[in-house]
Amino acid sequence: MPSIIAVELAELPYRVSQNEVMVAIKCMFQHRYEHIDRLLSIFQHDHIQSRSLVQPLDWYMQTHSFAEKNELYIEHAVRYGKEAIVRCLHRANIVFEDIEAIFFISTTGIATPSIEARIMNELPFSVHTKRIPIWGLGCAGGAAGIARAVDYCRAYPKAKVLVLAVELCSLTFQMDDVSKSNLIGTSLFADGVGCACVVGDDVQQQSVTPQVIDMQSVFMRNTEDVMGWDIKDQGFYVVFSRHIPTMIRQSIGEIVELFLGRSRIKISEIEHFVLHPGGKKVLDAYRDGLHIDEDKLAHAIAVLQQYGNMSSVTVLAVLQRFLQQSLTPRGYGLMMAMGPGFSCELLLLKWGDEA
């Protein structure tokens, strides 16, 4: 079975505390909300302590055109995408020329040629490297990207491929959007760039890494208004339903049970939960819907505290913590993320003995 052998993140230039963001938002919106202090309480109740940004905080307190923001998206995506790739390949001990395909994941900017093509002009990949840009999966994109890379490696067992996820959520911020969705999104979302390396079964490995033994996508019909973008003259305007945690709580148990049942595994047999931490309410919904203890979410909580919600990159950051912890995990793991559609991406992992 294909394996995930390395995950690395780029180090973005600006770190801000949750309190700093809250003060900035209060400064920008206090004259447009009657009860701004009550609304700002969401910044204090979502686990997040700090986040990374690609621009200094005061830059966001000025008006910028869609064109300017998208130009910055391309510039930063290439710069920090390169950094994440170099770190990942170094960790995996693989050279650029051996990479057969690059899956590029993003939902926060637009580029044609796509970002991985621009990166290939600056790093020594083979000119025959396949490019698979995937746009629009939002928070589910990291898990989906890994799954599509696994599909590739199942077909080509000798393959070594990369999944590069770039989400510069801060560049989508809209100063003129007084909706509650915008305020909630601003309290949660952050910038992040991550890269994972997936290899086929015939690639020799020097350490214990998680094999992917099953995958499934679940699409929930007629839920396109739950999460996504409204695209207007000034760019992306967030669509973010308050019903998301309730939907997860009500559906996730059955979704996971049916998925694991294909491999004759029960939720109680899952040792490692590699879950996308969309926010505190989402983590609570996972805990309640899957009937698991909070300590099973320790890595997800730590990532949310340190990085906020980096959309598709976040689940890669959680997986990185499992790969880099001092004691190698053993047993089954569940990698999962939910995103626009509304949809769910699931992967069954196994560390240790041959799957």
Side-chain angles (χ1 to χ4, degrees), residues 42-97:
I42 60 174
F43 283 80
Q44 301 167 328
H45 298 144
D46 53 15
H47 277 326
I48 298 170
Q49 296 175 0
S50 60
R51 285 182 264 178
S52 294
L53 304 173
V54 290
Q55 293 289 108
L57 189 56
D58 59 2
W59 181 89
Y60 302 93
M61 301 176 73
Q62 306 163 29
T63 301
H64 303 278
S65 69
F66 186 17
E68 179 188 355
K69 289 185 285 188
N70 199 69
E71 186 175 343
L72 282 168
Y73 165 83
I74 294 172
E75 175 188 331
H76 290 307
V78 172
R79 177 184 303 166
Y80 297 108
K82 285 165 51 182
E83 179 183 325
I85 286 172
V86 170
R87 289 186 175 195
C88 184
L89 291 180
H90 179 75
R91 175 75 63 176
N93 195 27
I94 292 174
V95 297
F96 293 98
E97 293 82 0

Side-chain angles (χ1 to χ4, degrees), residues 172 174 176-177 228-239:
T172 70
Q174 301 291 347
D176 66 338
D177 184 359
W229 298 122
D230 280 336
I231 301 179
K232 304 179 182 180
D233 289 345
Q234 290 301 310
F236 300 118
Y237 286 71
V238 68
V239 176

